[in-house]
Amino acid sequence: MLAGYETTSTTLSYCAYVLATHPEEQAILYEEINSVFSDDLNGDEDENISIDHEKINQLEYMRMFINEVLRMYPIGNS
């Protein structure tokens, strides 16, 4: 359990860093997320959004983004 949380938090930290330093990537991810979850919003921001496996699989650019962050900033000591 101790090994799992540190790698996740480090990956999320690097993702946040890359998004903060590359606003164009942030805009692309924002648009992708909005397009996938737009049916759940319906103009009410307080509404619950259903997140399921099918919708997550539609986030192709996010998957590529995370893989690229892990390539640029590898977590393991190899």
Side-chain angles (χ1 to χ4, degrees), residues 1-2 4 14-16 18-20 24-25 31 34 38 45 47 52-53 55-56 60 64 73 76-77:
M1 183 166 149
L2 292 176
Y14 281 129
C15 285
V18 172
L19 288 174
E24 64 281 356
E25 300 301 324
E31 289 301 319
N34 274 344
S38 63
E45 294 180 11
E47 229 178 271
D52 56 21
H53 192 264
K55 288 184 181 177
I56 296 297
E60 183 68 22
M64 291 187 300
Y73 304 102
N77 296 333

Side-chain angles (χ1 to χ4, degrees), residues 2-78:
L2 292 176
Y5 84 92
E6 189 173 318
T7 56
T8 302
S9 64
T10 303
T11 300
L12 291 173
S13 296
Y14 281 129
C15 285
Y17 170 75
V18 172
L19 288 174
T21 56
H22 296 86
E24 64 281 356
E25 300 301 324
Q26 185 178 18
I28 294 169
L29 282 172
Y30 179 78
E31 289 301 319
E32 181 181 60
I33 292 167
N34 274 344
S35 69
V36 170
F37 294 102
S38 63
D39 293 340
D40 292 339
L41 293 175
N42 296 328
D44 187 9
E45 294 180 11
D46 293 334
E47 229 178 271
N48 290 333
I49 297 174
S50 65
I51 299 175
D52 56 21
H53 192 264
E54 182 180 313
K55 288 184 181 177
I56 296 297
N57 282 337
Q58 293 175 18
L59 298 172
E60 183 68 22
Y61 193 82
M62 181 176 286
R63 184 186 59 77
M64 291 187 300
F65 171 78
I66 293 170
N67 285 338
E68 184 65 10
V69 168
L70 288 171
R71 185 192 67 79
M72 292 168 44
Y73 304 102
I75 303 301
N77 296 333
S78 30

